[in-house]
């Protein structure tokens, strides 16, 4: 028996509430208030996990977020959870990571015996041939930590909170509590966060008396006063990152089944009272279970009444371990302190054996420590070694905020350097040791010009001292001296990196993986770079630190995702008539962000036949189509005509009111950006009808030019796309059908010819009818208020029965437009297509006024003779449609070269043959030429034709 | 996350904004603009380390504006309505 629970004491545990859970199948008994780590320790479970690479047995090292070893999977849902921060709960099932079948009897432990053959970078050097990816799955299965349970289902989205306060205090130890108290006293709103379940930090287990009161009383009173003042206190909450402009990310844990909550805090000021983390000492086998941080042992003793051992060796290079030694002696342990220093130590407590001027050479034991040897060769039996290698201030958040660090020889640590706007550092994080220093730094952190800050708390008890003599890992150390426990990096690995010239701290990190594990090197970074300094004959500040980046501790992706999961990740836009389409059996698909009917009825295997049927029947009588997604952006104002002239490639100002014109919008580099019909409602009012998926982009473009070039008084732009539903009636019988519905206007071709608009009414609502056609047939686009569209749609369907009208989805429409050679921007064009490539030469040749993209149409590139031009493609009789993306190829010197590609390809039910559109070199001049086509290695032929395959004379528009 | 001051809406998260290019990149009009001048307008950006004057658009209100900021420290120096600036 070594580690054990004491009969009395333990400020954090409630002995009246026992909890029982399992670890690697064994029962563990603890109390409410225990962490999994403290309960394991109380049950003398020494081996809690296996190391990442060598499968070394590892025990609990720390008592907080810095824990490198004690990672566990909890209930299959939370892999790589630190046992030191996870509360013990009744019935919880905990499992060690990277161990098969369990931590104590891991079958991959043999790997450790081969360790000298697999040093840092072994994998990179060895598994290069023929391909790393052949080896990777095996290696990943053998190394690595926790496993994700793929059957696990989330309990719902995580909450996210946006929060503002005057002062955000990170860390509720003595410095944080004092800073929060002082800020609150100055009338500021305070938010206090701490990653432990119980605020107090080191005051919860270290000696201290404040304003004449015991530390516990002072903590309680301070928290009560803050709560009474309406200030927010968030325990179990980690400030994991400081982002631009001092946005602070917090991850709050709940331990009641709820997902963690992400807080985005915009404080007026940030006080970092994040404390310091104890470092290990370098000696051979310093990773054996039973070797703990001295500070952690004191925390377990005072907070959980767990004594880490009976025969304890305390190894130290600084004063802080003496308080620990005194406490474990008082708890009944036999204690020998081995101090690297010969003099300058604090007074030794009674019964403490002290070995001066010595260091540990090695630890001895197999699954747990049994003895240690000193550098003079002597041996001390021990069932537990408590180690204090000095303190590393937790300046991660300060570093993330681009704060510069300053090396302190006296503290053997990096401290915050030049101040960062809006951020103050207090307490141990700023290098303070005694409570008096801590409170002074808290006072300074809160101080601001004009602020009435009350008097700081006073330390009235014994004061800690900060004496330290640096004890960094040394090159040439005997045995295996571990630096990074979690990623299995030893002194020899760092030496190897130095030999291979990876001497920069960033190279050292990547080559050895030092500090790259889930603990991010909280205990290992500084010893590692100090060793590199020693090897290369430089100072620690000359080596410098790696870049600090969020997150400070692992944050569940669910926290970052919040409500943006499933459909909420990228919500689709929905048609006002969606329910009517569903009643008609529509099969929906997403097109450019819109959920639209692809076809009506005919699921799965029947889809193609249904689409063909819709396209065929549309040409025979009349088709009904929901075109509500079509852009409807109004351009209004005295300079509206001049504005659309500038925005379009085609001259639009000559358009008469009540008429429409098709045109292109170009980018400034001349590339076709969008196409569509422009409607002129009256002298100063146009409607830009743009591609459904381009509405936002076109609107932004119009706004940019309006604000940048024309001015707000000249033009006004209004995006009315979602306000209006657009119902399209197309086909030879379209007019006849509409005449039976009664739309309050004459549909005679003389009154409403092709490319004209008319105004009518339906059911008391104004309607606008545009005679434009994307099918090549006589078409009427009827626009009506979106929320009044349903009765009209129902009426059209009912009236359509007499004409054998067909509902068509987007797939059939795609066939109809391709038969006519009508393009879809971004499908039949790419990022190089200029308007004249599509056969639209006129404006380029004739326009004298300025328009977007104009100059780019006259560059050398734009005038090349071998540009890709829009063509139609036909295939030999009886052959299947060309695959979209197939290349037209040329042979020269026995080599194949692409001369263009297929952009759209369909079976045309009306023509009874495949049709295709494509972009081909000099295509416009090559109609009739047969070329070779290649797709995925298969060759066939196709004949270049005009893009329009059906009714080239356009007679059906007025049929 | 940076806070950008929209001159119309006040400070807002940077995710609400789109970048609109260097401020002062005036568009040369005409079909006969020297090709180098046109290429400069289209493609060449100064990308300064330090103070930059840029056009941004606040997507929520739709307004374009000029913002001066430090590309190194991410400090915002000023923001103002467009007032004839070219994007």
């Amino acid at each position: 028996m070594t580690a054990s629970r004491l009969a009395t004491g333990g400020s954090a545990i409630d002995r009246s509430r026992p909890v029982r859970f399992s670890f690697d199948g064994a029962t563990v008994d603890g109390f409410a208030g225990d962490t999994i780590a403290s309960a394991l320790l109380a049950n003398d479970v020494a081996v809690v996990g296996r190391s990442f690479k060598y499968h070394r047995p590892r025990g609990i090292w720390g008592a907080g977020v810095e824990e490198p070893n004690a990672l566990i999977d909890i209930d299959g849902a939370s892999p790589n959870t630190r046992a030191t921060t996870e509360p013990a709960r009744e019935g919880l099932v905990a499992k060690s990571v990277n161990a098969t079948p369990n931590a104590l009897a891991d079958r991959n432990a043999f790997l450790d015996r081969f360790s000298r053959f697999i040093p840092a970078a072994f994998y990179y050097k060895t598994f290069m041939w023929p391909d790393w990816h052949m080896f990777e799955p095996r290696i990943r299965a053998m190394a690595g930590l926790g496993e994700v349970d793929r059957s696990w289902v989330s309990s719902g989205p995580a909450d996210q909170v946006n929060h503002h306060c005057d002062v955000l205090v990170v860390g509720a130890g003595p410095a944080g509590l004092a800073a929060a108290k002082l800020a609150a006293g100055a009338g500021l709103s305070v938010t206090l966060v701490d990653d432990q379940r119980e605020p107090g930090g080191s005051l919860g287990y270290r000696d201290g008396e404040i304003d004449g009161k015991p530390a516990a009383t002072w903590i309680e009173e301070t928290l009560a006063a803050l709560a009474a003042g309406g200030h927010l206190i968030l325990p179990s909450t980690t400030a994991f990152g400081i982002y631009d402009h001092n946005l602070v990310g917090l991850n709050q844990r709940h331990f009641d089944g709820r997902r963690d909550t992400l807080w985005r805090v915009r404080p007026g000021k940030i006080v970092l009272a994040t404390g310091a983390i104890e470092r290990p000492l370098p000696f051979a086998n310093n990773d054996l279970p039973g070797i703990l941080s001295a500070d952690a042992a004191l925390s377990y003793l005072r907070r959980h009444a767990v004594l880490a051992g009976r025969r304890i060796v305390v190894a130290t290079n600084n004063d802080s371990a003496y308080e620990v030694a005194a406490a474990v002696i008082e708890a009944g342990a036999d204690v020998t302190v081995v101090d690297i220093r010969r003099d300058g130590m604090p007074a030794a407590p009674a019964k403490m054996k002290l070995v001066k001027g010595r260091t540990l050479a090695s630890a001895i034991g197999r699954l747990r420590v049994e003895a240690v040897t000193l550098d003079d060769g002597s041996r001390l039996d021990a069932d537990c070694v408590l180690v204090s290698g000095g303190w590393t201030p937790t300046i991660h958040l300060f570093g993330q905020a681009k704060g510069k660090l300053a090396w302190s020889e006296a503290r053997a640590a990096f401290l915050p350097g030049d101040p960062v706007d809006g951020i103050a550092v207090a307490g141990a994080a700023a290098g303070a040791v005694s409570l008096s220093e801590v409170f002074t730094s808290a006072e300074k952190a809160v101080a601001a010009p004009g602020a009435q800050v009350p008097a700081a708390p006073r330390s009235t008890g014994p004061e800690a001292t900060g004496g330290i003599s640096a004890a960094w890992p040394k090159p040439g150390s005997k045995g295996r001296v571990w630096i990074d426990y979690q990623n299995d990096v030893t002194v020899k690995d760092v030496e190897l990196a130095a030999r291979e010239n990876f001497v920069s701290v960033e190279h050292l990190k990547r080559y050895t993986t030092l500090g790259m594990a889930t603990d991010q090197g909280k205990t290992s970074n500084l010893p590692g770079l100090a060793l590199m300094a020693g090897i290369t004959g430089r100072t620690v500040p000359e080596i410098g630190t790696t870049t600090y980046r969020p997150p400070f501790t692992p944050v569940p992706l669910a926290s970052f995702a919040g409500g943006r999961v499933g459909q909420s990740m990228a919500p689709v836009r929905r048609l006002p008539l969606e329910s009517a389409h569903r009643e008609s059996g529509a099969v929906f698909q997403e097109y450019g962000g819109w959920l639209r009917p692809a076809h009506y009825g005919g699921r799965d295997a029947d889809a193609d036949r249904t689409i063909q049927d819709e396209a065929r029947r549309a040409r025979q009588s009349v088709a009904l189509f929901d075109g509500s997604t079509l852009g409807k952006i109004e351009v209004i104002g005295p300079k509206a005509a001049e504005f659309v002239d500038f925005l379009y490639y085609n001259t639009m100002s000559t358009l008469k009111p009540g008429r429409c014109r098709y045109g292109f919008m170009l980018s400034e580099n001349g590339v076709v950006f969008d196409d569509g019909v422009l409607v002129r409602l009256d002298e100063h009012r146009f409607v830009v009808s743009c591609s459904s998926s381009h509405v936002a982009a076109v609107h932004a473009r119009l706004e940019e030019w309006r604000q940048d070039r024309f001015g707000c008084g000249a033009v006004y732009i209004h995006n009315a796309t979602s306000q209006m539903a657009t119902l399209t009636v197309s086909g030879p019988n379209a007019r006849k059908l509409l005449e039976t519905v009664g739309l309050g206007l004459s549909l005679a071709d003389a009154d409403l010819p092709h490319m004209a608009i008319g105004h009518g009414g339906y059911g008391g609502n104004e309607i606008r009818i545009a005679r434009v056609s994307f099918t090549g047939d006589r078409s009427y686009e009827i626009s009506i208020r979106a929320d009044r569209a349903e009765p009209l749609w129902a009426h059209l369907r009912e009236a359509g029965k007499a004409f054998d009208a067909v509902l068509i989805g987007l797939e059939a429409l795609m066939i109809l437009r391709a038969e006519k050679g009508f393009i879809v921007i971004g499908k039949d064009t790419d990022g190089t297509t200029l308007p004249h490539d599509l056969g639209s030469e006129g404006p380029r040749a004739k326009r004298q006024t300025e328009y977007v993209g104009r100059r780019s149409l006259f560059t050398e590139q734009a005038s090349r003779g071998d540009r890709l031009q829009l063509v139609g493609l036909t295939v030999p009789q009886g052959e299947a449609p060309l695959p979209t993306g197939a290349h037209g190829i040329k042979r020269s010197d026995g080599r194949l070269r692409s001369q263009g590609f297929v952009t759209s390809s369909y079976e045309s039910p009306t023509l009874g043959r495949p049709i295709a559109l494509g972009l081909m070199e000099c295509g416009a001049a090559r109609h009739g030429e047969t070329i070779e086509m290649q797709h995925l290695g298969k060759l066939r032929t196709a004949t270049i034709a005009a893009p329009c395959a059906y009714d080239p004379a356009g007679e059906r528009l007025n049929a | 996350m940076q806070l950008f001051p929209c001159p119309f809406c006040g400070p807002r998260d940077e995710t609400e904004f789109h970048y609109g290019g260097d401020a002062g990149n005036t568009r040369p009009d005409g079909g006969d603009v020297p090709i180098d001048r046109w290429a400069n307008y289209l493609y060449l950006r100064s990308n300064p380390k330090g103070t930059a004057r840029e056009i941004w658009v606040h997507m929520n209100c739709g307004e374009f504006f000029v913002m001066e900021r430090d590309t190194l420290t991410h400090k915002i120096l000023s923001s103002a309505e467009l007032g004839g600036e070219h994007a």
Side-chain angles (χ1 to χ4, degrees):
Chain A
M1 188 63 203
T2 54
S4 59
R5 179 94 67 185
L6 302 179
T8 57
S11 61
I13 55 169
D14 178 355
R15 290 178 194 258
S16 68
R17 288 164 58 209
V19 294
R20 174 172 285 192
F21 62 95
S22 81
F23 173 72
D24 274 356
T27 302
V28 179
D29 286 306
F31 297 113
D34 262 326
T35 61
I36 289 177
S38 69
L40 288 173
L41 209 56
N43 285 263
D44 198 29
V45 178
V47 183
V48 297
R50 289 281 166 165
S51 71
F52 179 72
K53 186 171 167 187
Y54 301 122
H55 288 256
R56 300 262 298 181
R58 291 282 164 79
I60 293 158
W61 158 264
V65 296
E66 76 283 4
E67 177 60 39
N69 292 338
L71 298 184
I72 48 170
D73 286 357
I74 293 178
D75 297 341
S78 311
N80 296 338
T81 306
R82 292 171 301 277
T84 51
T85 58
E86 194 67 20
R89 278 183 285 116
E90 184 69 30
L92 170 148
V93 179
K95 191 186 163 309
S96 56
V97 300
N98 203 27
T100 322
N102 58 50
L104 201 57
D106 174 43
R107 77 167 72 102
N108 282 324
F110 73 90
L111 275 170
D112 191 39
R113 278 180 277 138
F114 294 93
S115 60
R116 73 194 177 92
F117 302 110
I118 45 177
F122 162 77
Y123 299 105
Y124 308 147
K125 291 172 182 168
T126 310
F127 296 110
M128 289 171 66
W129 189 90
D131 182 1
W132 156 254
H133 296 103
M134 264 181 61
F135 303 101
E136 189 181 1
R138 275 268 190 78
I139 292 168
R140 292 254 182 265
M142 210 134 65
L145 298 170
E147 278 177 40
V148 173
D149 178 358
R150 289 168 197 275
S151 67
W152 181 77
V153 179
S154 144
S155 57
D159 282 340
Q160 294 187 330
V161 180
N162 293 312
H163 180 67
H164 296 262
C165 58
D166 292 330
V167 181
L168 172 70
V169 181
V170 181
L177 285 168
K181 185 183 161 116
L182 293 175
L188 302 168
S189 67
V190 177
T191 299
L192 176 63
V193 302
D194 194 82
D195 57 14
Q196 297 277 342
R197 262 192 311 169
E198 285 179 47
S202 63
L203 268 188
Y205 57 91
R206 286 210 176 246
D207 296 333
E209 189 189 284
I210 300 154
D211 293 339
K213 296 167 198 161
T217 311
W218 183 78
I219 295 171
E220 214 171 291
E221 287 179 5
T222 304
L223 289 171
L226 286 170
H231 303 285
L232 183 63
I233 301 165
L234 297 172
S236 302
T237 302
T238 305
F240 60 80
I242 295 185
Y243 298 86
D244 275 322
H245 296 178
N246 289 353
L247 173 75
V248 186
L250 313 178
N251 191 63
Q252 180 186 23
R253 305 206 53 200
H254 297 295
F255 305 120
D256 59 1
R258 268 184 300 159
R259 310 299 299 266
D260 297 359
T261 300
L262 184 93
W263 292 68
R264 285 183 286 255
V265 187
R266 292 263 186 210
K269 179 173 200 168
I270 304 167
V271 177
L272 298 177
T274 42
I277 292 170
E278 196 165 45
R279 292 192 290 263
L281 281 169
F283 52 93
N285 297 331
N286 56 349
D287 64 331
L288 269 180
I291 301 177
L292 277 78
S293 143
D295 184 64
L298 184 62
S299 164
Y300 287 125
L301 178 65
R302 295 252 168 94
R303 301 188 66 234
H304 304 106
V306 175
L307 183 56
R310 291 284 160 187
R311 284 189 78 145
I312 297 177
V313 169
V314 177
T316 187
N317 66 342
N318 70 86
D319 295 353
S320 70
Y322 285 77
E323 185 185 345
V324 181
V328 290
I329 289 171
E330 196 186 315
D334 174 68
V335 175
T336 304
V337 172
V338 180
D339 197 319
I340 190 174
R341 297 170 295 178
R342 294 196 175 279
D343 42 43
M345 291 92 89
K351 291 200 267 182
M352 187 187 93
K353 283 162 270 181
L354 178 62
V355 181
K356 294 182 191 177
R358 290 280 160 223
T359 57
L360 300 196
S362 72
I364 296 165
R366 205 173 65 83
L367 287 172
R368 63 196 302 166
V369 66
E370 290 158 15
V372 294
T373 59
L374 306 190
D375 55 351
D376 61 358
S378 60
R379 175 186 164 115
L380 293 170
D381 286 339
D383 59 12
C384 173
V385 179
L386 302 184
V387 176
S388 180
W391 294 85
T392 304
T394 310
I395 32 71
H396 300 65
L397 293 174
F398 183 77
Q400 287 177 19
K402 306 277 188 289
K404 293 269 186 297
L405 305 181
W407 178 251
S408 163
E409 202 63 47
R411 295 265 179 269
F414 283 108
L415 300 178
D418 299 336
V420 174
D421 276 356
I423 299 179
V425 189
V433 175
S434 69
L435 280 181
S436 296
E437 288 166 18
V438 165
F439 293 146
T440 306
S441 73
E443 195 175 19
K444 265 173 66 183
V446 175
Q452 299 285 322
V453 181
R458 274 182 323 111
S459 169
T460 49
E463 294 267 60
T465 54
I468 183 168
S469 170
W472 304 118
K474 288 190 177 60
S477 303
K478 283 211 179 85
R480 294 161 77 197
V481 181
W482 302 85
I483 295 175
D484 185 331
Y485 295 134
Q486 200 171 95
N487 261 354
D488 271 350
V489 179
T490 64
V491 166
K492 287 189 168 57
D493 293 319
V494 177
E495 289 176 306
L496 178 69
R499 272 204 305 282
E500 305 200 343
N501 204 28
F502 293 101
V503 291
S504 134
V505 62
E506 297 288 355
H507 288 158
L508 167 67
K509 167 181 161 180
R510 284 154 183 82
Y511 193 68
T512 62
T513 71
L514 175 78
M516 287 172 70
T518 65
D519 67 344
Q520 289 286 287
K522 291 182 178 60
T523 56
S524 61
N525 278 343
L526 197 51
L529 61 92
L531 170 59
M532 183 55 86
I535 295 170
T536 55
R538 289 178 290 175
T539 64
V540 176
E542 276 171 348
I543 294 279
T545 66
T546 51
T547 307
Y548 290 95
R549 294 191 185 89
F552 173 66
T553 52
V555 179
L557 289 176
S559 293
F560 290 115
R564 296 187 302 277
V565 292
Q567 288 221 333
S568 306
M569 171 83 187
V572 286
R573 303 187 68 183
R574 291 172 178 277
L575 296 168
L577 295 177
E578 180 177 327
S579 60
H581 296 313
R582 288 203 186 277
E583 279 166 30
S584 305
V587 175
F588 281 85
Q589 271 180 32
E590 194 201 316
Y591 296 94
W594 285 91
L595 198 62
R596 308 178 67 179
H599 45 88
Y600 290 83
R603 290 185 180 273
D604 306 323
D606 288 337
D608 280 348
R609 202 161 43 81
T610 306
I611 294 163
Q612 289 283 307
D613 198 47
E614 286 176 13
R616 183 177 45 78
R617 287 173 60 197
R619 295 274 187 228
Q620 287 170 347
S621 176
V622 59
L624 302 178
F625 173 75
D626 186 347
S628 301
T629 60
L630 208 62
K632 292 169 281 279
I633 303 172
E634 297 200 18
V635 177
I636 308 158
K639 285 193 174 177
E642 193 186 325
F643 181 77
V644 293
D645 254 1
F646 182 70
L647 263 295
Y648 277 91
Y649 169 63
N650 315 70
T651 302
M652 293 300 192
S653 54
T654 53
L655 194 60
K656 290 189 174 64
R659 294 296 171 128
C660 320
R661 185 172 291 166
Y662 175 82
F664 293 123
M665 281 190 202
L666 312 182
S667 300
E668 278 283 58
N669 58 9
V671 171
V672 177
F673 174 76
D674 196 55
D675 69 339
V677 166
L678 182 74
V679 179
R680 188 167 204 169
L681 293 175
D682 59 42
E683 191 63 25
H684 300 302
R685 192 168 176 198
F686 294 82
V687 182
V688 174
S689 176
C690 51
S691 309
S692 303
S693 56
H694 263 175
V695 177
V698 169
H699 183 214
R701 175 160 303 223
L702 296 182
E703 272 297 337
E704 183 173 0
W705 286 115
R706 176 186 80 99
Q707 294 179 35
D708 184 38
R709 189 178 171 101
F710 287 82
C712 300
V715 187
Y716 175 76
I717 292 166
H718 172 63
N719 182 1
T721 302
S722 57
Q723 291 167 353
M724 309 283 272
T726 301
L727 313 177
T728 305
V729 182
S730 165
N733 289 323
R735 187 176 74 194
K736 285 182 207 142
L737 188 158
L738 288 179
E739 276 165 352
T740 70
V741 174
L743 297 172
L745 78 167
S746 163
L747 298 174
D749 285 355
D751 298 320
L752 187 61
H754 182 56
M755 296 308 263
I757 59 156
H759 299 275
Y762 181 82
N765 299 291
E766 285 178 22
I767 58 169
R768 187 167 73 221
I769 300 189
R771 256 199 83 182
V772 294
S773 177
F774 197 39
T775 61
D777 285 337
R778 172 188 288 277
S779 291
Y780 298 84
E781 289 181 354
I782 309 165
S783 294
I784 183 169
R785 256 177 67 168
D787 58 337
R788 306 285 170 86
E790 188 123 22
L792 176 56
W793 181 246
H795 196 160
L796 290 172
R797 273 154 55 215
E798 188 57 36
K801 284 178 183 165
F803 299 93
D804 190 30
V806 58
L807 296 177
I808 64 168
L810 201 68
E811 295 299 325
L813 183 72
M814 285 295 113
I815 296 176
L816 298 174
R817 66 91 197 171
E819 287 172 343
K820 287 296 298 175
F822 294 156
I823 58 164
V824 172
I825 300 290
K827 178 167 172 60
D828 299 299
T829 68
D830 65 14
T832 67
T833 307
L834 305 178
H836 50 281
D837 299 332
L838 302 171
S840 180
E841 275 283 359
R844 178 173 182 251
K846 294 181 198 138
R847 254 191 90 169
Q848 296 302 311
T849 51
E850 192 61 14
Y851 54 92
V852 175
R854 179 186 181 192
R855 181 63 184 86
S856 296
L857 300 183
F858 302 96
T859 62
E860 208 177 304
Q861 278 296 322
S863 309
R864 281 172 67 129
D866 60 350
R867 294 193 59 83
L868 301 189
Q869 293 170 325
L870 181 72
V871 296
L873 292 162
T874 61
V875 297
Q877 198 171 6
E879 284 192 9
L882 291 162
T884 302
H887 279 263
I889 53 167
K890 262 202 277 205
R891 291 172 190 272
S892 60
D893 304 332
R895 298 178 65 178
L896 301 184
R897 190 174 76 75
S898 171
Q899 56 170 329
F901 46 90
V902 177
T903 58
S904 292
S905 179
Y906 307 92
E907 176 70 30
S908 163
T910 304
L911 295 168
R913 63 170 173 87
I915 52 164
L917 297 175
L919 293 167
M920 287 291 159
E921 271 177 26
C922 323
R926 295 168 66 193
H927 294 180
E929 188 182 325
T930 297
I931 58 170
E932 274 190 296
M933 304 293 295
Q934 190 191 44
H935 185 68
L936 303 178
K938 289 204 178 104
L939 284 172
R940 54 192 291 195
T941 61
T943 303
I944 299 176
C948 179
Y950 183 66
D951 183 31
E955 285 162 355
R956 290 179 61 93
L957 285 171
N958 293 306
Chain B
M1 194 187 304
Q2 301 179 76
L3 275 182
F4 290 166
C6 170
F8 306 91
C9 309
R12 298 294 190 116
D13 283 345
E14 63 175 296
T15 49
E16 295 184 7
F17 296 82
H18 277 191
Y19 178 60
D22 286 354
N25 182 25
T26 312
R27 182 185 197 273
D29 282 1
D32 53 355
V33 175
I35 196 66
D36 290 353
R37 173 79 186 87
W38 185 250
N40 283 351
Y41 159 71
L42 269 187
Y43 299 118
L44 287 191
R45 298 293 174 265
S46 53
N47 194 23
K49 176 179 175 181
T51 304
R53 292 188 77 241
E54 298 166 334
I55 306 285
W56 286 79
V57 57
H58 185 212
M59 300 306 285
N60 296 40
C61 71
E63 295 293 337
F64 287 76
F65 62 96
V66 185
M67 184 161 68
E68 242 182 336
R69 63 186 195 100
D70 190 306
T71 57
L72 195 64
T73 64
H74 287 185
K75 269 194 187 131
I76 307 297
L77 307 171
S78 72
S79 79
E81 295 177 41
L82 214 47
E85 288 279 358
H86 291 280

